[in-house]
Amino acid sequence: MKTPSPFHTIIEPFRIKSVEPVKFTTPEERAAKLAAAGWNPFLLRAEDVLIDLLTDSGTGAMSKHQWAGMMRGDESYAGAESFYRFEAAVRDITGLRHVLPTHQGRAAERILFTTVLKPGDIVPNNTHFDTTRANIEARGAIALDLPVPEARQPRLRAPFKGNIDLAALERCLAENPGRVPLAMITVTNNSGGGQPVSLANLRGAREICARHGVPLFLDCCRFAENAWFIKQREVGYADRSPLAIAREMFACVDGATMSAKKDGMANIGGFLALNDEMWTTRAKNNLILTEGFPTYGGLAGYDLEAIAVGFYEALDEDYLRYRIRSIEYLGDLLVKNGVPIIEPTGGHAVYLDARQLLPHVPGSEFPAWALSCALYLAGGVRGVEIGSVMFGRQPDGTEKPPAMELVRLAFPRRVYTQSHVDYLGEVLLHVHGRREKIRGLRMTQAPEVLRHFTARFEPIAPRLFA
Ligand code: F0G
């Protein structure tokens, strides 16, 4: 048992060995850059962004142990040592038998879904992430979101708002025999606010799925952050290590898709892990078609090494305490000042509630998108819209208002410091103070799928801040 520290400040549990300069721009420069990017923050050059919270995916800083691991990367085409180290780490944490490396999470999704789905099938999940949904719909199948009702109430403080609605899952499986090849649970629930899923909920889902003979998979991108929340919030887990908790989470499932760009602490990579022999054989053939030989799956040997080290660093208690606290710190400041966010704060991001913040901007004028543009204009901060642009368009081409209009400010791992977060807080309060001036946008150009990446817009009024 460690002696508790008498000091309360939670510091970054690292010091900095290599720095990346950031560039300062003026509001006028930013207005010109955003207009040239078609009012789509995805189309900005990263160097024109001061604090980049577009995503926590692949944007983290690696440790010296990861860099050292990369030096011993074995680049053999087949059977490289690096693969066996990667496989051993994934098996150790997940307990799953077969491990297929992929270049990132969506490759694992595509391989899994092309292997097991046919048109008309249904895949329930607490909430599908956009790439998961798109890969399911690309197979002609239905991606069904079954979050618990409290997930839809941004202000409601509940410990596990990422949970899947077990009664709805039971109904879905009972009403659709033979149409549900697998069910999924996303930890943490990214599109629902980065909220965690409890072990009780995972066990409940496992029991229901087992009774209906349906395999259960985890979308486990942020498994370590989820394990930390279980340690903090679920009765009986305070003294368990994040690793032990993660193992219990994986013990509930038959397979997992992973983007190692999140809790793999790496800049690229992922995996599909599963127990079923027949699915594995077919998935491997699929993998060879597009990713590469099954012992590298689209990654370099050195990537496999960085990830094998990263999984354990993501489970480190000092790291998790600092990570979750820095997000909560920003959240506390915003709540204290009346800025509407999803409460409590989640694992990797703060989610601003744009519907609440900009009640004068109708859904058809993309309030969350407008808010994300306002943050860039005001302070060079880049977040991502999770609202009508990302999720409003239905597979049949019609528009439907999404459950929430959010701007996600996702924190890259081990990248920004306390003063960056303080600056961010100032920018957010400044924009909040001028919220009544913010006007909406119209979409001038958009592709059919995943339109948020490349759509172009223009402000309805001559200026975004009227
Ligand atoms: N599942 C979840 C829950 C995710 O958050 C992501 C990626 C993926 C799957 C796909 O993984 O990007 O490696 O192909 N989320 C990133 C984000 C892009 O910004 O939240 P990928």
Side-chain angles (χ1 to χ4, degrees):
M1 201 56 191
K2 278 200 228 169
T3 313
S5 163
F7 307 117
H8 295 294
T9 309
I10 296 172
I11 62 169
E12 286 83 8
F14 50 79
R15 51 188 187 177
I16 296 164
K17 200 185 203 79
S18 171
V19 298
E20 236 184 316
V22 290
K23 193 175 94 182
F24 294 88
T25 51
T26 63
E28 295 72 30
E29 284 168 340
R30 290 193 292 274
K33 307 265 184 208
L34 193 57
W39 294 85
N40 184 340
F42 274 104
L43 303 180
L44 290 167
R45 291 180 73 127
E47 65 168 5
D48 296 325
V49 177
L50 187 61
I51 307 271
D52 203 346
L53 306 178
L54 187 64
T55 178
D56 64 322
S57 180
T59 50
M62 291 209 298
S63 69
K64 66 176 179 179
H65 301 294
Q66 287 179 289
W67 285 108
M70 288 181 79
M71 287 306 294
R72 65 172 185 183
D74 176 354
E75 304 304 339
S76 306
Y77 189 92
E81 254 181 80
S82 301
F83 169 72
Y84 292 107
R85 271 194 283 275
F86 173 87
E87 181 188 53
V90 177
R91 280 189 178 155
D92 178 42
I93 295 166
T94 69
L96 294 163
R97 260 197 299 282
H98 304 292
V99 181
L100 283 61
T102 60
H103 79 273
Q104 61 185 91
R106 68 198 70 183
E109 292 162 7
R110 192 196 58 77
I111 288 164
L112 174 65
F113 299 142
T114 46
T115 302
V116 308
L117 293 187
K118 54 182 192 320
D121 281 346
I122 302 170
V123 184
N125 197 331
N126 47 355
T127 309
H128 290 278
F129 185 64
D130 60 353
T131 59
T132 321
R133 169 173 292 281
N135 271 297
I136 290 169
E137 289 173 355
R139 297 291 296 159
I142 298 160
L144 185 66
D145 290 341
L146 302 176
V148 285
E150 53 267 36
R152 308 247 198 244
Q153 292 168 257
R155 269 336 70 65
L156 180 81
R157 283 188 167 257
F160 292 105
K161 288 170 80 173
N163 283 350
I164 192 165
D165 184 332
L166 293 175
L169 177 65
E170 171 77 58
R171 252 192 329 273
C172 168
L173 301 192
E175 287 168 6
N176 299 285
R179 278 184 72 193
V180 185
L182 79 161
M184 295 184 82
I185 294 188
T186 304
V187 293
T188 56
N189 186 5
N190 185 7
S191 307
Q195 300 291 322
V197 176
S198 70
L199 264 170
N201 190 252
L202 279 169
R203 293 206 183 97
R206 177 187 58 180
E207 188 276 316
I208 292 168
C209 287
R211 201 154 24 77
H212 290 274
V214 170
L216 179 62
F217 274 59
L218 267 191
D219 174 342
C220 66
C221 298
R222 300 177 179 86
F223 72 97
E225 291 168 5
N226 199 80
W228 180 255
F229 282 115
I230 289 173
K231 184 176 167 67
Q232 301 303 308
R233 297 179 183 173
E234 194 157 354
V235 177
Y237 290 93
D239 296 328
R240 306 290 302 279
S241 71
L243 174 61
I245 294 170
R247 286 183 179 138
E248 283 201 38
M249 286 161 45
F250 284 107
C252 296
V253 299
D254 307 285
T257 56
M258 172 74 184
S259 168
K261 302 172 73 171
K262 285 86 169 173
D263 280 350
M265 306 293 253
N267 300 124
I268 197 73
F271 65 73
L272 168 64
L274 65 178
N275 285 333
D276 187 86
E277 304 290 336
M278 207 164 69
W279 280 13
T280 302
T281 307
R282 282 160 47 200
K284 269 192 187 163
N285 291 333
N286 239 320
L287 178 89
I288 292 170
L289 206 57
T290 55
E291 292 283 295
F293 193 73
T295 61
Y296 75 87
L299 294 170
Y302 55 67
D303 294 322
L304 295 167
E305 296 277 357
I307 301 167
V309 175
F311 286 140
Y312 292 100
E313 292 185 352
L315 288 162
D316 178 80
E317 289 197 21
D318 292 331
Y319 158 73
L320 283 168
R321 181 177 300 106
Y322 136 81
R323 173 152 180 83
I324 303 303
R325 177 59 199 152
S326 48
I327 288 151
E328 190 185 46
Y329 171 83
L330 179 64
D332 288 350
L333 175 84
L334 297 177
V335 169
K336 200 175 79 193
N337 286 282
V339 183
I341 62 167
I342 295 191
E343 295 179 50
T345 42
H348 63 297
V350 170
Y351 292 70
L352 305 170
D353 183 350
R355 205 170 267 161
Q356 196 75 25
L357 209 136
L358 304 177
H360 56 283
V361 180
S364 57
E365 295 176 12
F366 309 113
W369 197 272
L371 182 59
S372 73
C373 289
L375 293 178
Y376 176 71
L377 291 178
V381 171
R382 177 159 68 170
V384 71
E385 188 253 28
I386 302 187
S388 292
V389 180
M390 190 182 272
F391 285 127
R393 192 190 161 94
Q394 303 307 298
D396 64 4
T398 58
E399 296 282 332
K400 190 174 130 203
M404 293 190 271
E405 290 279 359
L406 305 172
V407 174
R408 184 189 71 172
L409 305 170
F411 284 45
R413 290 170 181 75
R414 302 187 293 207
V415 168
Y416 293 116
T417 64
Q418 176 81 25
S419 69
H420 289 115
V421 180
D422 285 331
Y423 168 83
L424 183 61
E426 259 191 82
V427 172
L428 290 165
L429 296 187
H430 173 84
V431 169
H432 185 243
R434 301 177 66 202
R435 62 191 179 279
E436 282 161 17
K437 292 183 184 301
I438 298 173
R439 297 289 173 267
L441 298 140
R442 81 172 66 84
M443 200 183 283
T444 55
Q445 208 178 303
E448 294 242 319
V449 287
L450 296 175
R451 64 184 179 182
H452 49 290
F453 290 129
T454 54
R456 297 182 78 87
F457 301 81
E458 60 191 23
I460 302 257
R463 294 158 66 88
L464 190 85
F465 284 101

